[in-house]
Amino acid sequence: SAVISQKPSRDICQRGTSLTIQCQVDSQVTMMFWYRQQPGQSLTLIATANQGSEATYESGFVIDKFPISRPNLTFSTLTVSNMSPEDSSIYLCSVNRGKNTEAFFGQGTRLTVV
Amino acid sequence: GNSVTQMEGPVTLSEEAFLTINCTYTATGYPSLFWYVQYPGEGLQLLLKATKADDKGSNKGFEATYRKETTSFHLEKGSVQVSDSAVYFCALGGGATNKLIFGTGTLLAVQP
């Protein structure tokens, strides 16, 4: 299993500002994933973060808007930059232990942009 | 690309009713299939999984069988309880990173 801690759990931010979300895992993992869950919607993968290399972004997501850091095997950050109300979502960090294995999720960060 | 199509909700059932939530997928190769559940106010957690064709995943009375011929992974439970009220997500995983692709989610409301 894996225990994932995300901070902050929620925030209300002004448009045009940036928010950095932290994800801490209780054990080393190769890959960490960042998802977005818009209100009433499913989860959409933003990017995959590997330690020591640049994150791999999914179609529709770009590094300038969602820069990601992965300084070691237990930690990652996602920044939501130059926020607008459309960025209001729950952002989730996730890890797994390899092919065909269960994914573990953090509790999520509920972001509201006003 | 890979995708998951899931039955839209909400689904409202009486306690002890039979539940089916349909899920079909499109994928290259041999993906793994998962059902995740999100109870009110809680995080996402794995309900069951199947990693190859004809596998049946089961947990807490829920079952789903990986059907390659119909590209389906329908979730079933013979007798639902009020405590089963949650959002259920079908997901497809695989490849080198095992990243997940989720269906739209189905809200289940079980009434006493």
Side-chain angles (χ1 to χ4, degrees):
Chain A
S1 68
V3 177
I4 301 173
S5 302
Q6 258 185 259
K7 289 195 296 188
S9 58
R10 58 177 64 228
D11 208 341
I12 301 173
C13 300
Q14 297 291 321
R15 67 177 68 201
T17 62
S18 297
L19 175 72
T20 295
I21 302 167
Q22 299 180 5
C23 179
Q24 178 75 53
V25 189
D26 67 341
S27 56
Q28 293 184 344
V29 291
T30 304
M31 294 187 185
M32 296 176 77
F33 304 86
W34 287 99
Y35 289 86
R36 180 174 73 182
Q37 186 176 20
Q38 293 178 299
Q41 304 292 315
S42 186
L43 284 78
T44 303
L45 182 64
I46 297 171
T48 302
N50 292 337
Q51 191 264 336
S53 64
E54 225 170 68
T56 303
Y57 289 82
E58 298 297 309
S59 176
F61 297 96
V62 295
I63 188 171
D64 289 347
K65 176 67 177 177
F66 297 101
I68 287 170
S69 78
R70 181 82 199 272
N72 59 53
L73 291 173
T74 63
F75 187 78
S76 178
T77 67
L78 170 75
T79 299
V80 186
S81 303
N82 188 23
M83 288 184 285
S84 67
E86 291 70 37
D87 295 320
S88 297
S89 287
I90 298 173
Y91 292 86
L92 296 123
C93 173
S94 175
V95 304
N96 63 51
R97 296 277 181 212
K99 191 172 182 199
N100 300 331
T101 63
E102 173 182 0
F104 300 93
F105 290 85
Q107 287 293 98
T109 297
R110 184 181 294 272
L111 169 62
T112 303
V113 183
V114 297
Chain B
N2 294 351
S3 66
V4 176
T5 301
Q6 187 176 340
M7 176 175 154
E8 286 200 21
V11 173
T12 303
L13 295 173
S14 298
E15 210 164 19
E16 299 183 5
F18 183 85
L19 168 71
T20 300
I21 301 178
N22 290 339
C23 172
T24 57
Y25 68 91
T26 302
T28 55
Y30 303 95
S32 296
L33 298 171
F34 304 85
W35 278 99
Y36 283 84
V37 59
Q38 192 171 36
Y39 296 104
E42 297 187 18
L44 208 62
Q45 56 187 278
L46 179 69
L47 179 61
L48 55 84
K49 71 175 186 180
T51 58
K52 61 182 187 296
D54 300 325
D55 266 4
K56 178 187 282 189
S58 61
N59 186 25
K60 300 182 181 180
F62 291 88
E63 292 183 341
T65 301
Y66 188 158
R67 302 269 188 218
K68 200 169 191 304
E69 64 277 13
T70 55
T71 61
S72 65
F73 194 55
H74 304 322
L75 183 68
E76 296 182 337
K77 186 173 186 182
S79 175
V80 294
Q81 306 300 312
V82 172
S83 58
D84 294 326
S85 298
V87 180
Y88 293 82
F89 294 93
C90 185
L92 180 155
T97 65
N98 202 34
K99 65 183 182 184
L100 293 175
I101 296 171
F102 285 86
T104 52
T106 302
L107 173 63
L108 171 65
V110 181
Q111 298 176 337

